[in-house]
Amino acid sequence: GQQVMQIPQYQHVQEGEDFTTYCNSSTTLSNIQWYKQRPGGHPVFLIQLVKSGEVKKQKRLTFQFGEAKKNSSLHITATQTTDVGTYFCAGGNQFYFGTGTSLTVIP
Amino acid sequence: NAGVTQTPKFQVLKTGQSMTLQCAQDMNHEYMSWYRQDPGMGLRLIHYSVGAGITDQGEVPNGYNVSRSTTEDFPLRLLSAAPSQTSVYFCASSTAISGEKLFFGSGTQLSVL
């Protein structure tokens, strides 16, 4: 089946530092989605990317879809404590999810 | 507007017991799915359905059954619970199998002793 890997698995940052998580697929993806899961909560949709090389921004969050549509990244500028949680990418058919990156922000 | 409703929130089973996790959505979504979440392994797809009467297996279907008799409901049955099925289970729905956002329920924390 389709495999979507994410790195890193964990990331601890000081508040105000930047954060990036990467998502890599073994196959070309028709689209990629990003979700955020707060501790104790459920995943919540953030954004979807469809086009090769696409870049989308949501305030301090920047999402990119690779030219080959096999990888994606989420970059958070100047992290805040409200950014704490696990970030998942999900790609292709049947919504196969990556392993997630757990972000801890140290005040 | 309830969205995706899962019950129960917590459940403890003994090895060998059976149970059904309930999932209902009120958004008229055709696509529904079940995931399990284990530490370090992300969300793994158990079973999914693209409409009433249609179900299919995901990555980790063994030990679980599903049925979809209505658009709204998609229950997940554990036939004979095993400790390896200790996990957090999420139900999700969407308007389509791909390309549309997933709406998740609040999850069920299951422990099998």
Side-chain angles (χ1 to χ4, degrees):
Chain A
Q2 198 161 28
Q3 288 199 344
V4 180
M5 304 300 294
Q6 260 183 276
I7 55 170
Q9 187 173 355
Y10 302 98
Q11 186 80 58
H12 294 231
V13 300
Q14 290 287 142
E15 189 173 16
E17 291 183 338
D18 292 356
F19 159 77
T20 304
T21 174
Y22 300 91
C23 183
N24 297 294
S25 170
S26 56
T27 59
T28 301
L29 301 170
S30 56
N31 62 77
I32 196 153
Q33 299 179 343
W34 285 92
Y35 292 79
K36 176 183 178 181
Q37 182 180 26
R38 295 183 185 273
H42 59 275
V44 175
F45 176 83
L46 292 176
I47 207 162
Q48 176 172 273
L49 305 172
V50 178
K51 299 177 182 177
S52 169
E54 189 170 12
V55 178
K56 286 188 177 181
K57 292 190 176 183
Q58 288 180 348
K59 297 183 180 179
R60 294 178 294 103
L61 278 61
T62 301
F63 304 84
Q64 292 189 328
F65 201 8
E67 293 290 340
K69 300 182 76 173
K70 286 188 173 183
N71 55 72
S72 180
S73 65
L74 159 59
H75 180 81
I76 302 178
T77 303
T79 55
Q80 299 175 358
T81 54
T82 53
D83 296 324
V84 165
T86 301
Y87 293 85
F88 291 99
C89 61
N93 295 332
Q94 291 102 42
F95 298 100
Y96 283 104
F97 277 75
T99 45
T101 296
S102 176
L103 173 64
T104 299
V105 179
I106 305 163
Chain B
N1 191 358
V4 180
T5 303
Q6 276 184 249
T7 55
K9 291 191 182 301
F10 302 95
Q11 183 72 50
V12 179
L13 293 177
K14 293 181 179 179
T15 298
Q17 287 185 316
S18 62
M19 80 157 295
T20 299
L21 306 184
Q22 301 292 343
C23 177
Q25 52 91 8
D26 62 359
M27 297 174 282
N28 201 33
H29 286 170
E30 290 297 323
Y31 179 85
M32 295 186 74
S33 54
W34 278 100
Y35 292 87
R36 60 176 290 172
Q37 183 173 28
D38 303 292
M41 302 193 76
L43 292 155
R44 291 184 293 168
L45 183 65
I46 304 172
H47 285 286
Y48 66 96
S49 168
V50 297
I54 306 169
T55 64
D56 208 345
Q57 297 180 349
E59 300 170 82
V60 288
N62 293 340
Y64 307 95
N65 268 3
V66 292
S67 60
R68 184 97 178 267
S69 56
T70 67
T71 299
E72 294 78 19
D73 300 299
F74 191 44
L76 177 72
R77 296 182 187 84
L78 280 70
L79 308 173
S80 177
S84 60
Q85 294 179 304
T86 293
S87 187
V88 179
Y89 291 85
F90 287 101
C91 178
S93 74
S94 176
T95 54
I97 191 171
S98 177
E100 299 294 333
K101 64 181 177 182
L102 275 173
F103 293 82
F104 282 84
S106 56
T108 297
Q109 177 122 27
L110 176 68
S111 295
V112 182
L113 307 177

mmCIF file of all heavy atoms in Angstrom, chain A residues 41-60:
data_model
loop_
_atom_site.group_PDB
_atom_site.id
_atom_site.type_symbol
_atom_site.label_atom_id
_atom_site.label_comp_id
_atom_site.label_asym_id
_atom_site.label_seq_id
_atom_site.Cartn_x
_atom_site.Cartn_y
_atom_site.Cartn_z
ATOM 1 N N GLY A 41 -6.989 15.521 21.720
ATOM 2 C CA GLY A 41 -8.054 15.858 20.776
ATOM 3 C C GLY A 41 -8.052 14.987 19.541
ATOM 4 O O GLY A 41 -7.402 13.943 19.505
ATOM 5 N N HIS A 42 -8.810 15.420 18.558
ATOM 6 C CA HIS A 42 -8.885 14.683 17.309
ATOM 7 C C HIS A 42 -8.265 15.524 16.201
ATOM 8 O O HIS A 42 -8.143 16.741 16.321
ATOM 9 C CB HIS A 42 -10.345 14.355 16.982
ATOM 10 C CG HIS A 42 -11.227 15.563 16.854
ATOM 11 N ND1 HIS A 42 -11.821 16.158 17.936
ATOM 12 C CD2 HIS A 42 -11.591 16.285 15.768
ATOM 13 C CE1 HIS A 42 -12.530 17.186 17.528
ATOM 14 N NE2 HIS A 42 -12.406 17.293 16.218
ATOM 15 N N PRO A 43 -7.843 14.871 15.107
ATOM 16 C CA PRO A 43 -7.245 15.632 14.004
ATOM 17 C C PRO A 43 -8.245 16.610 13.394
ATOM 18 O O PRO A 43 -9.419 16.299 13.213
ATOM 19 C CB PRO A 43 -6.869 14.548 12.991
ATOM 20 C CG PRO A 43 -6.743 13.300 13.805
ATOM 21 C CD PRO A 43 -7.788 13.422 14.871
ATOM 22 N N VAL A 44 -7.736 17.789 13.073
ATOM 23 C CA VAL A 44 -8.540 18.839 12.458
ATOM 24 C C VAL A 44 -7.859 19.279 11.169
ATOM 25 O O VAL A 44 -6.655 19.540 11.157
ATOM 26 C CB VAL A 44 -8.709 20.042 13.403
ATOM 27 C CG1 VAL A 44 -9.440 21.181 12.703
ATOM 28 C CG2 VAL A 44 -9.454 19.627 14.668
ATOM 29 N N PHE A 45 -8.630 19.356 10.114
ATOM 30 C CA PHE A 45 -8.108 19.725 8.795
ATOM 31 C C PHE A 45 -7.533 21.134 8.810
ATOM 32 O O PHE A 45 -8.134 22.073 9.343
ATOM 33 C CB PHE A 45 -9.257 19.630 7.780
ATOM 34 C CG PHE A 45 -8.916 20.078 6.395
ATOM 35 C CD1 PHE A 45 -8.293 19.231 5.518
ATOM 36 C CD2 PHE A 45 -9.236 21.365 5.974
ATOM 37 C CE1 PHE A 45 -7.985 19.638 4.225
ATOM 38 C CE2 PHE A 45 -8.939 21.790 4.691
ATOM 39 C CZ PHE A 45 -8.321 20.921 3.810
ATOM 40 N N LEU A 46 -6.338 21.274 8.206
ATOM 41 C CA LEU A 46 -5.733 22.593 8.057
ATOM 42 C C LEU A 46 -5.828 23.088 6.613
ATOM 43 O O LEU A 46 -6.283 24.209 6.363
ATOM 44 C CB LEU A 46 -4.250 22.546 8.470
ATOM 45 C CG LEU A 46 -3.943 22.303 9.942
ATOM 46 C CD1 LEU A 46 -2.432 22.198 10.155
ATOM 47 C CD2 LEU A 46 -4.531 23.413 10.802
ATOM 48 N N ILE A 47 -5.361 22.245 5.668
ATOM 49 C CA ILE A 47 -5.264 22.722 4.300
ATOM 50 C C ILE A 47 -5.090 21.552 3.341
ATOM 51 O O ILE A 47 -4.701 20.454 3.764
ATOM 52 C CB ILE A 47 -4.077 23.701 4.159
ATOM 53 C CG1 ILE A 47 -4.296 24.703 3.036
ATOM 54 C CG2 ILE A 47 -2.756 22.941 3.979
ATOM 55 C CD1 ILE A 47 -3.407 25.922 3.142
ATOM 56 N N GLN A 48 -5.367 21.790 2.067
ATOM 57 C CA GLN A 48 -5.109 20.808 1.028
ATOM 58 C C GLN A 48 -4.300 21.464 -0.092
ATOM 59 O O GLN A 48 -4.570 22.607 -0.480
ATOM 60 C CB GLN A 48 -6.420 20.268 0.458
ATOM 61 C CG GLN A 48 -6.206 19.308 -0.719
ATOM 62 C CD GLN A 48 -7.455 18.633 -1.173
ATOM 63 O OE1 GLN A 48 -7.821 17.580 -0.641
ATOM 64 N NE2 GLN A 48 -8.133 19.213 -2.146
ATOM 65 N N LEU A 49 -3.314 20.735 -0.604
ATOM 66 C CA LEU A 49 -2.526 21.168 -1.752
ATOM 67 C C LEU A 49 -2.766 20.188 -2.888
ATOM 68 O O LEU A 49 -2.826 18.974 -2.669
ATOM 69 C CB LEU A 49 -1.032 21.210 -1.397
ATOM 70 C CG LEU A 49 -0.658 22.055 -0.167
ATOM 71 C CD1 LEU A 49 0.802 21.852 0.179
ATOM 72 C CD2 LEU A 49 -0.945 23.525 -0.422
ATOM 73 N N VAL A 50 -2.875 20.721 -4.092
ATOM 74 C CA VAL A 50 -3.208 19.881 -5.238
ATOM 75 C C VAL A 50 -2.190 20.002 -6.368
ATOM 76 O O VAL A 50 -1.848 19.016 -7.019
ATOM 77 C CB VAL A 50 -4.619 20.222 -5.760
ATOM 78 C CG1 VAL A 50 -4.956 19.381 -6.983
ATOM 79 C CG2 VAL A 50 -5.668 20.025 -4.687
ATOM 80 N N LYS A 51 -1.695 21.206 -6.601
ATOM 81 C CA LYS A 51 -0.847 21.455 -7.767
ATOM 82 C C LYS A 51 0.629 21.256 -7.454
ATOM 83 O O LYS A 51 1.101 21.553 -6.358
ATOM 84 C CB LYS A 51 -1.066 22.882 -8.253
ATOM 85 C CG LYS A 51 -2.482 23.173 -8.694
ATOM 86 C CD LYS A 51 -2.625 24.629 -9.102
ATOM 87 C CE LYS A 51 -4.051 24.953 -9.495
ATOM 88 N NZ LYS A 51 -4.207 26.389 -9.819
ATOM 89 N N SER A 52 1.368 20.802 -8.447
ATOM 90 C CA SER A 52 2.807 20.653 -8.338
ATOM 91 C C SER A 52 3.439 21.999 -7.996
ATOM 92 O O SER A 52 3.127 23.005 -8.632
ATOM 93 C CB SER A 52 3.355 20.132 -9.667
ATOM 94 O OG SER A 52 4.749 20.207 -9.701
ATOM 95 N N GLY A 53 4.292 22.022 -6.952
ATOM 96 C CA GLY A 53 4.978 23.247 -6.567
ATOM 97 C C GLY A 53 4.117 24.246 -5.820
ATOM 98 O O GLY A 53 4.567 25.356 -5.529
ATOM 99 N N GLU A 54 2.919 23.853 -5.454
ATOM 100 C CA GLU A 54 1.995 24.790 -4.813
ATOM 101 C C GLU A 54 2.496 25.225 -3.442
ATOM 102 O O GLU A 54 3.049 24.432 -2.696
ATOM 103 C CB GLU A 54 0.618 24.147 -4.692
ATOM 104 C CG GLU A 54 -0.482 25.088 -4.245
ATOM 105 C CD GLU A 54 -1.863 24.463 -4.383
ATOM 106 O OE1 GLU A 54 -1.971 23.236 -4.603
ATOM 107 O OE2 GLU A 54 -2.852 25.208 -4.264
ATOM 108 N N VAL A 55 2.287 26.492 -3.135
ATOM 109 C CA VAL A 55 2.615 27.062 -1.826
ATOM 110 C C VAL A 55 1.387 27.806 -1.313
ATOM 111 O O VAL A 55 0.810 28.617 -2.027
ATOM 112 C CB VAL A 55 3.815 28.027 -1.887
ATOM 113 C CG1 VAL A 55 4.076 28.629 -0.495
ATOM 114 C CG2 VAL A 55 5.059 27.320 -2.405
ATOM 115 N N LYS A 56 0.998 27.489 -0.085
ATOM 116 C CA LYS A 56 -0.132 28.187 0.529
ATOM 117 C C LYS A 56 0.272 28.658 1.919
ATOM 118 O O LYS A 56 1.061 27.994 2.598
ATOM 119 C CB LYS A 56 -1.359 27.277 0.635
ATOM 120 C CG LYS A 56 -2.059 27.022 -0.683
ATOM 121 C CD LYS A 56 -3.367 26.289 -0.461
ATOM 122 C CE LYS A 56 -4.125 26.090 -1.756
ATOM 123 N NZ LYS A 56 -5.416 25.386 -1.546
ATOM 124 N N LYS A 57 -0.282 29.781 2.326
ATOM 125 C CA LYS A 57 0.030 30.333 3.647
ATOM 126 C C LYS A 57 -1.247 30.538 4.454
ATOM 127 O O LYS A 57 -2.291 30.928 3.927
ATOM 128 C CB LYS A 57 0.782 31.649 3.512
ATOM 129 C CG LYS A 57 2.177 31.510 2.942
ATOM 130 C CD LYS A 57 2.966 32.815 3.053
ATOM 131 C CE LYS A 57 4.390 32.610 2.557
ATOM 132 N NZ LYS A 57 5.233 33.819 2.714
ATOM 133 N N GLN A 58 -1.120 30.250 5.745
ATOM 134 C CA GLN A 58 -2.173 30.562 6.702
ATOM 135 C C GLN A 58 -1.489 31.250 7.865
ATOM 136 O O GLN A 58 -0.908 30.607 8.728
ATOM 137 C CB GLN A 58 -2.879 29.294 7.192
ATOM 138 C CG GLN A 58 -3.780 28.612 6.205
ATOM 139 C CD GLN A 58 -4.441 27.370 6.793
ATOM 140 O OE1 GLN A 58 -4.072 26.887 7.859
ATOM 141 N NE2 GLN A 58 -5.417 26.840 6.081
ATOM 142 N N LYS A 59 -1.514 32.556 7.876
ATOM 143 C CA LYS A 59 -0.875 33.348 8.928
ATOM 144 C C LYS A 59 0.590 32.933 9.061
ATOM 145 O O LYS A 59 1.392 33.160 8.153
ATOM 146 C CB LYS A 59 -1.636 33.204 10.243
ATOM 147 C CG LYS A 59 -3.054 33.730 10.168
ATOM 148 C CD LYS A 59 -3.765 33.638 11.513
ATOM 149 C CE LYS A 59 -5.177 34.175 11.391
ATOM 150 N NZ LYS A 59 -5.929 34.084 12.665
ATOM 151 N N ARG A 60 0.994 32.297 10.142
ATOM 152 C CA ARG A 60 2.396 31.931 10.343
ATOM 153 C C ARG A 60 2.741 30.550 9.749
ATOM 154 O O ARG A 60 3.886 30.115 9.829
ATOM 155 C CB ARG A 60 2.704 31.921 11.850
ATOM 156 C CG ARG A 60 2.629 33.288 12.516
ATOM 157 C CD ARG A 60 2.894 33.210 14.017
ATOM 158 N NE ARG A 60 1.836 32.462 14.699
ATOM 159 C CZ ARG A 60 1.971 31.213 15.109
ATOM 160 N NH1 ARG A 60 3.105 30.563 14.956
ATOM 161 N NH2 ARG A 60 0.953 30.612 15.715
#
